[in-house]
């Protein structure tokens, strides 16, 4: 066991050090759309693609290390508000959003990152024997997509037809979305979000759940 410690610490250190660069200068939890905005200032897609290429290498490293040493998935960050699995989800969602919405991105780095992220989510979940059944939550609803779409329009990146982008986004995310949500629940980590902020999305969910509970009480 002692002989494994250098390998485990090295993989953990690489994972966490790169995560320190994933933040939003505006503050708050970063969303898929903000990942694109932060890395494509002024609509510079080439800068965005270079950033996605770097995150593709991080994702590949997480895939290899966490499948080889699955206990790494349980090692939490030393830094408050930082979670490797939530970051993997947000990055995969950002790559999926870019692939579906940005003209030409389906043949470039965003699509490659989507493929690496999808594989990492599926293989790590399988290695951890994440239960196939359980609570499944999707934040990818058209209302949240509209928020992201407006942000992309304001950013000035070249966009595809909105209807085609929404249809392709749903198809792409369906390949890993449910598994991602179960993996996050399994590791008791915060979810990634498509809306304005994590707090706003959670507040809406809680409000709806409370309203439903009151309706059941009145009809009981």
């Amino acid at each position: 066991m002692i002989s494994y410690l250098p390998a485990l610490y090295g993989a953990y250190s690489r994972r966490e050090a790169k995560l320190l660069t994933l933040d939003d200068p505006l503050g708050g939890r970063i969303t898929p759309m903000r990942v694109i905005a932060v890395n494509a200032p002024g609509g510079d897609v080439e800068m965005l693609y270079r950033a996605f290429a770097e995150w593709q290498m991080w994702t590949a490293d997480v895939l290899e290390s966490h499948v080889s040493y699955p206990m790494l998935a349980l090692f939490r960050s030393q830094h408050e508000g930082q979670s490797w699995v939530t970051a993997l989800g947000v990055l995969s969602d950002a790559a999926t959003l870019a692939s579906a919405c940005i003209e030409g991105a389906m043949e470039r780095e965003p699509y490659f990152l989507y493929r690496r992220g999808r594989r990492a989510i599926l293989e790590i979940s399988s290695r951890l024997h994440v239960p196939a059944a359980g609570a499944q939550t999707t934040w990818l609803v058209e209302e949240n997509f509209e928020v992201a779409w407006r942000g992309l329009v304001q950013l000035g990146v070249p966009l595809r037809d909105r209807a085609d982008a929404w249809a392709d986004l749903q198809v792409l995310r369906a390949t890993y979305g449910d598994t991602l949500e179960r993996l996050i629940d399994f590791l008791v980590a915060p979810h990634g979000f498509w809306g304005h902020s994590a707090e706003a999305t959670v507040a809406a969910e809680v409000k709806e759940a409370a309203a439903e509970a009151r309706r059941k009480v009145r009809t009981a």
Side-chain angles (χ1 to χ4, degrees):
M1 289 297 296
I2 293 175
S3 65
Y4 279 110
L5 289 178
L8 291 174
Y9 179 76
Y12 174 81
S13 179
R14 290 193 305 273
R15 184 188 81 185
E16 296 299 311
K18 181 64 176 175
L19 283 186
L20 290 173
T21 69
L22 183 65
D23 62 0
D24 187 344
L26 297 182
R29 185 179 298 171
I30 196 164
T31 64
M33 189 274 144
R34 287 297 299 166
V35 170
I36 297 174
V38 168
N39 290 287
D44 187 346
V45 293
E46 290 302 323
M47 184 176 291
L48 174 67
Y49 293 165
R50 289 194 294 272
F52 275 3
E54 294 178 4
W55 282 110
Q56 183 185 168
M57 296 306 298
W58 177 85
T59 303
D61 189 29
V62 168
L63 168 61
E64 192 282 329
S65 59
H66 288 53
V67 169
S68 299
Y69 308 109
M71 68 284 291
L72 280 172
L74 304 177
F75 290 5
R76 295 182 179 273
S77 174
Q78 300 180 62
H79 305 282
E80 185 177 356
Q82 186 168 302
S83 165
W84 75 268
V85 67
T86 301
L88 176 61
V90 171
L91 288 166
S92 299
D93 282 349
T96 305
L97 178 65
S99 297
C101 297
I102 298 177
E103 190 70 44
M106 200 72 82
E107 291 80 38
R108 295 290 302 271
E109 288 82 356
Y111 187 70
F112 303 152
L113 178 55
Y114 153 74
R115 285 169 55 88
R116 300 297 177 272
R118 178 188 65 189
R119 182 177 177 184
I121 290 164
L122 297 179
E123 292 195 17
I124 293 172
S125 295
S126 176
R127 190 71 174 85
L128 292 174
H129 306 290
V130 175
Q136 298 182 15
T137 304
T138 179
W139 309 103
L140 184 56
V141 295
E142 192 161 8
E143 179 182 359
N144 284 343
F145 171 68
E146 179 60 29
V147 174
W149 181 262
R150 289 199 302 268
L152 293 175
V153 170
Q154 293 174 0
L155 185 60
V157 294
L159 296 175
R160 302 174 63 218
D161 175 76
R162 185 193 182 284
D164 290 342
W166 171 234
D168 287 347
L169 179 61
Q170 293 176 86
V171 171
L172 291 173
R173 197 174 191 275
T175 62
Y176 69 87
D178 287 347
T179 304
L180 170 62
E181 305 303 339
R182 291 196 298 269
L183 176 61
I184 289 174
D185 285 338
F186 182 78
L187 295 174
V188 197
H191 288 264
F193 298 88
W194 283 83
H196 290 287
S197 68
E199 292 74 18
T201 308
V202 169
E205 292 289 320
V206 171
K207 183 178 180 181
E208 176 59 29
E212 179 63 25
R214 287 194 296 271
R215 285 194 292 269
K216 289 181 178 179
V217 170
R218 285 197 297 268
T219 57

